[in-house]
């Protein structure tokens, strides 16, 4: 990205108190390079049978919309108001108090007032008032109403794809107005006109066909894991060969495919393999991977509720086919938001599965009684608490770790302490970032909800500013050099972000730390960690 | 000059003139004293009920509470019972705290950029304080006005009057609530005018109710402390209204009708505006649902089947590769 501005240029350009001369309705949208993602590829849209597949370019004047596009939108809007109370209520009750205004990382990082959550929502509300409320129909602009025009549509597209649906704004709103929910509806409406971005549309098409984002076919999926098996054997002397699509296994394990293919997620993946091998040898627990349901992350979530359901169906279908007891889920953000809020409703009831119980500790996961899906951090924390894992945390002594609460596990499921517990038991150096930037107040990586493309790097660096700023604080204060997280998008997005704002900080998943610390029965003396870096005290041998 | 608030200010001034001239010049006491109040009240009731029913009519297909704290999970991990409630009881307490003390607003943080590009977030309580002062003083004022509509006056209204008039500065007793209400409304209004971000997001329809309430407070205070209206006459009049034997009071000046007209406008405006947050705050699915999404199944009334890529189709696509890689398949060709 040669035209990405320098980090201090972005910083010095930020001005939060400056008010633009013209009102927001009079400020037309300007689609800027580096701040948007490429338009959806026609083939992907076609493959999924979504409306209005065509080749189009956001920078063109003509977006090649269907003749009756306003009508389609109006009808779609109405339908969604009738289907979702959240949408209707959130359209009506915002008092524009501004409590959410400076809570959005995209506003903090860009200074663009239309990135204040309330204004992002007003983009839709203005049309809602015009089309669906008496006051709007009578008083028009005075009541904050405006008709849907092409300019408004472009503004919708631009700003709805500058929201990572992280829900931070919702924590602070006195009515719990969730701008992410509004964004979700807005994106559904845009999809009715075929206006998605390609970093969403193509992964969705891939997931649909092959089961995962990257379109990795079954044999290639196995090949990739085989690589890790070899690497692990080199490091530990143990063959951790996993099982695939195995009928009658105890547990089906599903993780985002990002872990299988991109560093540093791959190290987390090695962590999973080591953990499962350990559990198999010590306790006879049989965990299987699936090539069919080889994706946890669900980008259908950024397309429509229907597409989300179509992709999600594979997890339960596969669990049923294989006859496992319950499902264990890997470290992924969007996956867990979907599992937590939608899955049981959309794809359940999962009555062919058993209520999850850890066969090793006997712990009943009461909180996952109905979905039958347990998060790996919950599972591991329970194992450690019961003393079932033999750990040597000093193997992670090269790392000074801080923890980034990924938005979705934090604000979509409330998982805050389990990963912290695992980190503290597998590392000796753990430091928290400032209180107002973690837990439910956590900041997004800036690349969530399908914005993790290459072409919108400037947007991502801006959006990630608040996160990076907090990391920088602990980096300078405590020498933190490792940022842990429980999300595959984080693992893909945060390394770029750290390079840009806080060089010298690496990114890891939690299970990588577990993989490093876990002492496999019969292993040889380890000299390196899973990244192939010398372990503390082993550096001399290397030289 | 800012059009948004000038427009709202003009509208309120116009309403003032309308009522004042309507009574003082045109002698339309019956219209402003009887017809409009009944009509406004009817619009308020029907409109409010309508709006709430319209919301209730849309289902809540998914359980989407915002988790603002630790979930229920392993027995040794402490759950945030109020911010991530997993029981109905917990939800009720969460809602009560939202509604009575504006808990989410209390969390408000202020962003500041320090030297060297360091961002810091600190507690910012003014909006919360302003909102609390505004809503509670408004509530007290409303309850206090019940003495005009009841005979005998209920005990709690009397007690509240006593408390409200605790600070006696001379005669007549000064009610704190009226003063606080006016001050809070002015604060909220100034906030909208002077803070760049809040100004930018404000619409004319945000200023209008503020000016209107300001008008109500000012006319109320004027009548009580300065022009000294005939309270006995007014009570007779209001009792007439509530007992459906309306009669126009004699010797009550234009200011009273202006006050009344402002209140009527507010009532009639209410259901069509953001003031409906009063009802909506109870209906927000991010706050009023328990955070037990994985433990209990929630049913979507309009859930329908969707096309899926089945395992059979998948295996059909990749069978050869799978066999070659040694992956198990259902059907060996
Ligand atoms: S905090 Fe809520 S009510 Fe206030 S402006 Fe934001 S969305 Fe609207
Ligand atoms: S959901 Fe997140 S990204 Fe979207 S408006 Fe709210 S704070 Fe910003």
């Amino acid at each position: 990205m040669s035209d990405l501005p320098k980090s201090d240029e972005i910083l010095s350009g930020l001005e939060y108190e400056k008010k633009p001369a013209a009102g927001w309705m009079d400020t037309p949208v300007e689609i800027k390079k580096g701040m948007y993602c490429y338009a959806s590829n026609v083939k992907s849209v076609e493959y999924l049978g979504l409306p209005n597949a065509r080749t189009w370019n956001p920078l063109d004047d003509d977006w090649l919309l269907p003749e009756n596009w306003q009508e389609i939108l109006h009808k779609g809007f109405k339908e969604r108001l009738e289907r979702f109370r959240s949408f209707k209520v959130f359209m009506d009750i915002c008092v524009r108090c501004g409590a959410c205004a400076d809570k959005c990382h995209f506003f903090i990082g860009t200074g663009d007032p239309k990135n204040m959550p309330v204004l992002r929502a007003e983009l839709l509300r203005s049309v809602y008032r015009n089309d669906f409320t008496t006051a709007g129909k009578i008083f028009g602009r005075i009541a904050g109403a405006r008709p849907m025009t092409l300019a408004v549509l472009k503004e919708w597209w631009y700003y709805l794809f500058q929201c990572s649906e992280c829900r931070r704004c919702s924590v602070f709103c006195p009515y719990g107005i969730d701008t992410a929910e509004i964004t979700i509806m807005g994106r559904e409406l845009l999809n009715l006109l075929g206006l998605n971005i390609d970093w969403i549309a193509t992964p969705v098409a891939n997931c649909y066909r092959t089961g995962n984002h990257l379109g990795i076919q079954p044999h290639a999926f196995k090949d990739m894991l085989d690589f890790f098996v070899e690497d692990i054997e080199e490091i530990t002397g143990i063959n951790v060969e996993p099982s695939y699509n195995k009928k009658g296994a105890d547990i089906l394990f599903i993780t985002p495919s990002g872990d299988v293919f991109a560093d540093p997620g791959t190290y987390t993946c090695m962590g999973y393999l080591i953990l499962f091998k350990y559990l198999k040898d010590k306790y006879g627990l049989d965990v299987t991977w699936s090539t069919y349901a080889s994706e946890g992350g669900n980008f259908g979530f950024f397309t429509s509720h229907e597409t989300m359901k179509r992709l999600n169906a594979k997890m339960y279908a596969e669990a049923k086919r294989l006859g496992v007891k319950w499902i264990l889920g890997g470290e992924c953000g969007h996956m867990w938001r979907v599992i937590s809020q939608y899955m049981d409703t959309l794809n359940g009831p999962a009555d062919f599965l058993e209520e999850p119980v850890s066969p090793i500790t006997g712990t009943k996961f009461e909180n996952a009684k109905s979905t039958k899906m347990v998060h790996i951090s919950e599972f591991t924390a329970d194992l450690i608490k019961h003393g079932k894992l033999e750990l040597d945390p000093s193997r992670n002594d090269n790392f000074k770790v801080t923890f980034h609460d990924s938005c979705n596990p934090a604000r979509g499921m409330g998982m805050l302490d389990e990963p912290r517990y695992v980190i503290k038991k597998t590392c000796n150096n753990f430091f928290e970032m400032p209180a107002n930037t973690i837990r439910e107040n956590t900041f997004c990586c800036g690349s969530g909800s399908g914005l993790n493309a290459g072409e919108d790097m400037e947007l991502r660096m801006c959006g990630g500013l608040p996160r990076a700023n907090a990391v920088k604080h602990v980096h300078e204060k405590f020498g933190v050099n490792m940022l842990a997280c429980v999300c595959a998008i984080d693992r893909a997005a945060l390394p770029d972000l750290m390079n840009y704002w806080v060089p010298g900080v690496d990114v890891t998943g939690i299970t990588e730390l577990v993989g490093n610390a876990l002492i496999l029965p019969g292993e040889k003396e380890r000299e390196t960690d899973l990244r192939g870096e010398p372990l503390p005290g082993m550096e001399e041998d290397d030289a | 000059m800012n059009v948004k608030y000038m427009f709202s200010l003009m509208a309120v001034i116009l309403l003032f003139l309308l009522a004042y001239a309507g009574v003082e010049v045109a002698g339309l006491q019956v219209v402003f004293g009887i017809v409009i109040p009944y009509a406004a009240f009817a619009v308020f009731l029907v409109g409010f009920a309508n709006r709430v029913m319209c919301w209730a009519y849309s289902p809540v297909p998914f359980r989407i509470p915002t988790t603002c704290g630790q979930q229920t999970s392993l027995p040794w991990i402490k759950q945030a019972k109020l911010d991530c409630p997993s029981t109905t009881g917990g939800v009720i307490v969460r809602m009560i705290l939202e509604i009575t003390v504006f808990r989410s607003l209390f969390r408000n943080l202020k962003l500041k950029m320090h030297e060297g590009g360091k961002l810091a977030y600190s507690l910012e309580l003014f909006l919360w304080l302003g909102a609390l002062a505004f809503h509670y003083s408004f509530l007290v004022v409303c309850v206090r006005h019940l003495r005009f509509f009841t005979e005998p006056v209920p005990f709690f209204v009397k007690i509240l009057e006593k408390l409200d008039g605790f600070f006696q500065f001379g005669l007549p007793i000064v009610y704190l609530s009226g003063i606080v209400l006016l001050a809070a409304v002015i604060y909220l209004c100034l906030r909208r005018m002077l803070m760049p971000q809040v100004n930018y997001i404000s619409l004319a329809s945000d200023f209008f109710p503020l000016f209107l309430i300001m008008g109500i407070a000012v006319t109320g205070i004027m009548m009580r402390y300065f022009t000294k209206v005939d309270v006995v006459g007014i009570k007779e009049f209001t009792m007439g209204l509530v007992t459906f034997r309306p009669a126009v009071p004699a010797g009550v000046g234009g200011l009273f009708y202006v006050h009344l007209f402002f209140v009527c406008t507010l009532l009639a405006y209410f259901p069509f505006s953001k003031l409906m947050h009063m009802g909506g705050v109870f209906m927000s699915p991010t706050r009023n649902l328990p955070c037990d999404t994985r433990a209990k199944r929630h049913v979507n009334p309009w859930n329908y089947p969707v096309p899926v890529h089945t395992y059979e189709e998948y295996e059909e696509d990749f069978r050869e590769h799978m066999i070659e890689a040694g992956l198990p398949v259902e059907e060996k060709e």
Side-chain angles (χ1 to χ4, degrees):
Chain A
M1 284 290 111
S2 51
D3 36 9
L4 180 67
K6 294 234 156 46
S7 51
D8 38 345
E9 277 168 36
I10 290 190
L11 265 185
S12 59
L14 283 176
E15 170 64 274
Y16 303 120
E17 296 295 313
K18 185 182 68 205
K19 204 191 95 184
W24 63 266
M25 282 197 201
D26 301 314
T27 312
V29 62
E30 184 199 337
I31 297 182
K32 289 199 200 99
K33 230 176 145 242
M35 304 295 278
Y36 74 95
C37 295
Y38 295 149
S40 41
N41 186 314
V42 59
K43 281 211 200 89
S44 308
V45 181
E46 252 163 18
Y47 184 80
L48 293 161
L50 301 176
N52 203 26
R54 73 213 181 279
T55 306
W56 65 288
N57 183 346
L59 293 181
D60 288 348
D61 287 337
D62 186 359
W63 278 14
L64 307 173
L65 300 169
E67 191 88 17
N68 58 340
W69 66 271
Q70 273 139 316
E71 204 182 300
I72 297 177
L73 277 188
H74 179 89
K75 216 178 125 239
F77 212 130
K78 183 156 180 265
E79 235 170 61
R80 277 155 192 81
L81 289 168
E82 281 160 9
R83 280 188 175 178
F84 296 91
R85 186 182 303 167
S86 54
F87 194 33
K88 220 184 226 175
V89 171
F90 294 166
M91 284 292 111
D92 281 329
I93 63 171
C94 171
V95 295
R96 287 168 295 283
C97 66
C100 59
D102 57 355
K103 306 303 180 284
C104 175
H105 52 285
F106 283 115
F107 172 69
I108 298 173
T110 61
D112 182 344
K114 284 188 191 162
N115 270 325
M116 293 190 248
V118 41
L119 212 49
R120 197 187 311 287
E122 285 292 308
L123 301 181
L124 266 82
R125 275 191 203 113
S126 54
V127 173
Y128 165 77
R129 290 190 196 106
N130 186 73
D131 286 14
F132 300 101
T133 71
T134 330
K137 280 187 184 132
I138 300 173
F139 294 109
R141 243 182 109 108
I142 298 162
R146 60 174 180 173
M148 189 75 206
T149 61
L150 189 59
V152 172
L153 182 71
K154 291 187 173 182
E155 197 180 35
W156 276 22
W157 185 81
Y158 192 58
Y159 288 104
L160 292 176
F161 286 103
Q162 286 193 16
C163 165
S164 51
E165 301 181 1
C166 76
R167 309 186 111 192
R168 187 168 195 265
C169 45
S170 134
V171 170
F172 298 91
C173 174
Y175 318 114
I177 292 177
D178 183 2
T179 306
E181 182 76 2
I182 296 171
T183 305
I184 290 168
M185 300 301 162
R187 288 191 181 185
E188 280 204 21
L189 292 175
L190 291 173
N191 266 285
L192 296 177
L193 304 176
L195 296 174
N196 212 322
I197 60 177
D198 197 47
W199 220 79
I200 293 174
T202 296
V204 169
N206 281 340
C207 280
Y208 193 62
R209 188 172 120 87
T210 59
N212 59 64
H213 272 147
L214 301 154
I216 311 170
Q217 300 190 358
H219 52 294
F221 186 84
K222 179 169 181 291
D223 275 353
M224 289 177 147
L225 287 186
D226 281 347
F227 275 130
F228 306 150
V229 172
E230 274 168 36
D231 284 352
I232 295 170
E233 186 154 12
E234 221 163 87
I235 297 168
T236 65
I238 305 279
N239 179 357
V240 298
E241 184 73 36
S243 73
Y244 301 95
N245 305 348
K246 183 177 171 189
K247 287 198 173 167
D250 294 316
I251 291 173
L252 168 63
F253 178 66
I254 299 176
T255 200
S257 61
D259 284 348
V260 180
F261 127 100
D263 292 348
T266 48
Y267 307 121
T268 301
C269 197
M270 291 161 83
Y272 302 141
L273 291 169
I274 292 176
L275 177 65
F276 299 151
K277 172 71 176 169
Y278 182 96
L279 298 178
K280 171 111 201 190
D281 285 1
K282 275 222 134 146
Y283 308 106
L285 184 73
D286 193 0
V287 179
T288 192
W289 297 60
S290 163
T291 58
Y292 169 63
S294 52
E295 178 63 77
N298 188 334
F299 276 27
F301 187 36
F302 322 129
T303 309
S304 66
H305 285 85
E306 192 180 53
T307 316
M308 165 163 58
K309 178 174 175 177
R310 288 170 70 184
L311 299 188
N312 227 37
K314 294 189 179 184
M315 298 201 220
Y316 279 156
E318 185 69 339
K320 189 170 188 178
R321 186 180 74 89
L322 298 179
V324 297
K325 296 199 180 80
W326 46 272
I327 303 172
L328 184 65
E331 298 179 20
C332 182
H334 300 120
M335 165 179 173
W336 278 97
R337 170 99 159 265
V338 172
I339 289 174
S340 173
Q341 298 187 342
Y342 302 97
M343 182 139 179
D344 206 4
T345 303
L346 283 176
N347 308 95
D351 42 16
F352 47 88
L353 295 173
E354 290 174 16
E355 288 180 12
V357 176
S358 169
I360 299 162
T361 64
T363 300
K364 268 193 181 164
F365 294 95
E366 296 274 354
N367 61 334
K369 231 178 2 213
S370 185
T371 51
K372 277 98 173 174
M373 298 187 73
V374 176
H375 192 286
I376 185 127
S377 284
E378 297 168 337
F379 183 67
T380 314
D382 174 63
L383 288 172
I384 297 177
K385 181 77 182 179
H386 286 85
K388 300 292 181 191
L389 301 184
E390 209 183 328
L391 296 167
D392 175 4
S394 73
R395 287 191 200 158
N396 285 316
D397 274 357
N398 284 339
F399 305 143
K400 292 192 168 159
V401 183
T402 190
F403 180 61
H404 160 61
D405 288 275
S406 310
C407 313
N408 288 303
R411 284 184 291 262
M413 68 189 286
M415 191 181 73
L416 307 171
D417 285 328
E418 297 87 340
R420 283 184 169 75
Y421 181 78
V422 175
I423 296 177
K424 285 181 196 155
K425 294 291 172 182
T426 52
C427 298
N428 291 319
N429 309 300
F430 175 65
F431 304 91
E432 285 280 15
M433 286 183 267
N436 290 332
T437 70
I438 53 168
R439 299 178 75 91
E440 67 273 12
N441 284 348
T442 187
F443 277 110
C444 181
C445 60
S447 305
S449 85
L451 305 183
N452 194 23
E455 64 269 18
D456 66 333
M457 197 52 99
E458 185 177 344
L459 173 72
R460 291 169 49 197
M461 296 302 112
C462 290
L465 167 65
R467 172 73 303 149
N469 220 270
V471 177
K472 192 167 180 186
H473 178 80
V474 284
H475 175 63
E476 284 167 3
K477 195 163 169 194
F478 306 112
V480 161
N481 59 8
M482 193 50 99
L483 177 58
C485 61
V486 276
C487 170
I489 294 289
D490 282 337
R491 285 188 287 278
L494 291 173
D496 286 331
L497 191 73
M498 292 300 113
N499 267 337
Y500 188 77
W501 292 108
V502 205
V505 177
D506 272 329
V507 178
T508 179
I510 307 293
T511 313
E512 178 184 343
L513 301 172
V514 175
N516 275 333
L518 195 60
I519 301 167
L520 277 170
E523 71 174 24
K524 67 176 194 195
E525 195 193 359
R526 294 197 203 181
E527 290 172 2
T528 70
D529 60 20
L530 296 180
R531 301 182 177 214
E533 304 283 332
L535 286 175
M538 294 287 180
E539 295 86 352
E540 302 82 4
D541 310 8
D542 219 37
Chain B
M1 262 295 128
N2 187 311
V3 219
K4 286 184 292 194
Y5 50 80
M6 280 320 285
F7 183 88
S8 306
L9 188 59
M10 297 307 285
V12 173
I13 293 174
L14 200 75
L15 292 174
F16 175 93
L17 293 175
L18 205 65
Y20 199 78
V23 171
E24 295 284 320
V25 181
L28 295 171
Q29 272 84 344
V30 175
V31 174
F32 283 94
I34 297 170
V35 179
I36 292 180
Y38 276 133
F41 199 65
V43 170
F44 173 75
L45 280 186
V46 174
F48 196 102
N50 222 341
R51 197 72 258 177
V52 173
M53 264 149 62
C54 168
W55 289 333
Y57 188 72
S58 294
V60 182
F62 301 105
R63 197 179 296 210
I64 52 164
T66 316
T67 51
C68 300
Q70 173 62 39
Q71 64 169 351
T72 31
S73 87
L74 301 161
W76 45 275
I77 288 181
K78 195 164 164 276
Q79 178 203 359
K81 288 218 160 58
L82 296 180
D83 288 315
C84 198
S86 53
T87 59
T88 315
V91 171
I92 291 172
V93 178
R94 183 185 200 180
M95 287 304 285
I96 288 176
L97 288 174
E98 280 299 339
I99 288 158
T100 57
V101 297
F102 307 169
R103 192 147 180 273
S104 292
L105 204 53
F106 180 74
R107 262 192 274 258
N108 199 10
L109 299 175
K110 190 172 157 163
L111 160 72
K112 227 183 139 158
M113 166 107 60
H114 293 282
E115 212 146 306
K118 272 193 197 295
L119 296 168
Y121 312 88
S122 52
L123 217 56
E124 138 70 44
L125 290 180
F126 286 105
L127 175 60
W128 176 73
L129 280 171
L132 267 190
F134 171 75
H135 284 89
Y136 273 100
S137 56
F138 207 152
L139 180 68
V140 171
V141 169
C142 289
V143 174
R144 205 155 43 65
H145 275 69
L146 280 182
R147 86 185 172 95
F148 288 107
F149 298 93
T150 45
E151 190 60 57
V153 177
F155 72 98
F156 62 88
V157 177
K158 286 188 184 153
I159 295 174
L160 196 72
E161 276 185 341
K162 274 253 161 55
L163 288 172
D164 198 3
F166 187 71
F167 295 98
Q168 172 130 25
F169 301 113
L171 284 174
I173 293 168
V174 173
Y175 287 131
L176 219 52
S177 54
I179 314 282
V180 174
L181 177 63
L182 187 60
V185 144
I186 291 174
Y187 167 73
L188 292 177
C189 201
L190 285 177
R191 187 178 167 272
R192 273 197 196 281
M193 290 175 177
L194 302 178
M195 288 176 60
Q197 284 168 16
V198 191
N199 188 297
Y200 194 66
I201 60 176
S202 296
L203 301 171
S205 52
D206 294 316
F207 286 104
F208 177 66
L210 287 174
F211 284 125
L212 195 59
I213 293 167
M214 223 182 276
I216 293 172
V218 169
T219 46
I221 289 174
M222 288 284 288
M223 279 190 289
R224 181 167 170 81
Y225 304 109
F226 301 102
T227 64
K228 308 270 164 67
V229 285
D230 170 15
V231 178
V232 179
I234 290 176
K235 171 121 193 192
E236 262 168 36
F237 163 69
T238 48
M239 286 311 294
L241 281 179
V242 288
T243 52
F244 295 102
R245 281 190 293 268
V248 166
V252 180
L255 202 55
F256 168 73
Y257 285 95
V258 172
H259 186 70
L260 184 63
F261 188 51
F262 278 168
V263 173
C264 292
T265 311
L266 190 69
L267 280 177
Y269 176 73
F270 203 102
F272 307 99
S273 69
K274 68 165 193 177
L275 302 180
M276 279 306 290
H277 67 268
M278 182 184 177
V281 64
F282 295 90
M283 311 277 280
S284 181
T286 52
R287 293 282 191 272
N288 70 10
L289 290 170
C291 304
D292 60 354
T293 45
R294 286 196 286 150
K296 282 207 191 102
R297 186 166 143 77
H298 185 82
V299 176
N300 172 355
W302 50 259
N303 200 10
Y304 52 84
V306 293
V308 296
H309 192 238
T310 61
Y311 177 79
E312 289 70 30
E313 287 163 347
Y314 169 86
E315 196 181 294
E316 204 56 48
D317 282 353
F318 302 113
R319 184 171 294 116
E320 268 170 47
H321 291 307
M322 291 174 78
I323 295 173
E324 213 170 295
L327 292 168
V329 286
E330 297 272 335
E331 256 178 69
K332 291 206 171 60
E333 257 167 341

